[in-house]
Amino acid sequence: MKKNPIQDIIPPKSSRSIRKIPIPTRPENRSEREHLEHVYKLDSSPEDISESEEVTYIREESTDEEVDNNGGGRRYGIWIIAIVAVIIVGFIIGMSFFVSAKVVVTPVSKDTILSSMPFVAKKTASEGELGYETAAVVKEIRKEIPATIEQKSEQKASGTIVIYNETAQPQQLIKNTRFTDPKGLIFRIQAAVTVPAASKDAAKKAGQVEARVVADAAGDKYNIGMSDFTIPGFKGDSKFTTVYARSKTTMTGGTSGIQKIATAQDIADTRAQLKQELQNDLLQELNARKPQQYILFASTTAISYEDVAPIPASSSTVFVIERGTISGVMFDKNKFGSAVAKASGISNITGPSVAVSNIDELQFNLTGLKGPFQPLSGADVTFTLSGNAHLVSNIDTKKVAESLAGKKASDMAKIITQQFKNISTATNAFSPIWIRTFPEDVGSIKVIISTE
């Protein structure tokens, strides 16, 4: 056979020359690629391939679908991270507009043992003296009982009025001074009174005093409801409009003619029951009406009773009426506590005022009495205190908040130490928790006094 001259340079069929590797076209899709009999990565080792195999090398590439899926997933993840970051930053910024702070302070306190410690309280106290105020409550109760006896009855109606004075000078009124209602019915006070002058401040609050009045004549026409009264003796004078009265109670008890009445024993027994009820009710009502800032001891009160004439309730019953008046001396809590601290010689209780937190546990005894205690007499009130008094400095929470507004949390200890000697400890908490500056708005700073 004639030898082809070019054959010498053609590699044998078993050769692995790169010239024998066909360059395939890229499969149209993944399924087409998966049907290829032999697919090898370019980094496969040639030793893994047998010499007899027909081999096709294909460079592994991602399809358009894979590129879209992988690249889209990365882009989607970046957007999620960005949105979450925006939400977190927005939340932080939003919360920063709703900053609040809570400050818990513990007041300086001290216990002191009192053993019949003497005190003096004055109606008109000077600086450094303990003063007192007075209060009074009038209450009327009634009970219906059978009326079994007929008799002629001539009774005058009676009641209590409050007399007001709008002038700059006290007004004295003698016993039996007349007061007239709008219909011309006359009632007279049963004792002389002095009506205090109006206050000297801008309010010019009228001075006032209570007084019992009795109708000028018997009869049920004087049994009137609440009303205004003038003093006919002042007619033609400016006092006619500046000194006047108003009902404290209704006017009751006026009768005239044949009436059915209860027996004297039934009336007396009923009055005893009513007085016992009044004693409890009056003290409770006086305590309920006194200002919260004041304290009242039961021994500094006095109760008086008035037997109001029975009035018909029906054709066969009558009302037995009892009227009670309680008056008492009250002490300002802070001034009372400061007086106790001063008398005890305690120096480490500081601040604008001091309170006795366990006032109900102390024994209060009036001294120097020469008869029944008269709260409205205006005289000095002398008393002693016994027991273990727990004194606590009062803290002005508003002032604390004002001093901290706009300040850094790290400055709080210095501010409290320098400005509030009556605070022993103070802690703070902020919302949001990352804030470390007190709000400028004082209303956003809540100061709580710890009692522990």
Side-chain angles (χ1 to χ4, degrees), residues 103-107 392-397 447-452:
V103 179
V104 180
V105 295
T106 303
V392 180
S393 291
N394 288 309
I395 297 174
D396 187 338
T397 56
V447 180
I448 301 172
I449 298 176
S450 173
T451 56
E452 297 181 357

Side-chain angles (χ1 to χ4, degrees), residues 77-93:
I78 292 172
W79 275 107
I80 290 178
I81 294 173
I83 291 171
V84 171
V86 169
I87 292 174
I88 293 174
V89 171
F91 174 77
I92 293 174
I93 295 175

Side-chain angles (χ1 to χ4, degrees), residues 1 21 31 76 107 150 191 201 207 221 253 255 279 316 325 393 434:
M1 176 181 295
I21 300 175
S31 61
Y76 183 71
E150 286 189 353
D201 55 17
K221 71 176 183 178
T255 61
Q279 182 177 0
S316 59
T325 302
S393 291
W434 57 82

Side-chain angles (χ1 to χ4, degrees), residues 135-141 159-162 209-212 226 247-250 278 281-283 285-286 289 302-306 308 322-327 376:
V137 172
V138 178
K139 187 172 184 179
E140 184 179 281
I141 58 176
T160 302
I161 61 174
V162 179
V209 68
E210 293 184 8
R212 179 174 177 266
M226 308 298 282
S247 297
K248 176 74 174 182
T249 66
T250 58
L278 275 174
D281 293 349
L282 285 170
L283 185 57
E285 191 161 341
L286 183 60
R289 290 191 184 185
I303 299 177
S304 61
Y305 301 98
E306 179 185 351
V308 180
E322 196 70 21
R323 184 179 296 140
T325 302
I326 185 172
S327 55
L376 304 181

Side-chain angles (χ1 to χ4, degrees), residues 156-203:
K156 294 181 179 181
S158 63
T160 302
I161 61 174
V162 179
I163 308 171
Y164 296 90
N165 178 17
E166 295 182 354
T167 70
Q169 300 296 326
Q171 179 62 55
Q172 293 183 342
L173 299 174
I174 63 173
K175 180 181 178 180
N176 289 328
T177 295
R178 295 176 298 161
F179 286 82
T180 307
D181 79 340
K183 294 183 179 180
L185 296 177
I186 296 175
F187 297 81
R188 298 176 183 269
I189 59 175
Q190 299 302 291
V193 296
T194 299
V195 190
S199 62
K200 296 180 180 180
D201 55 17

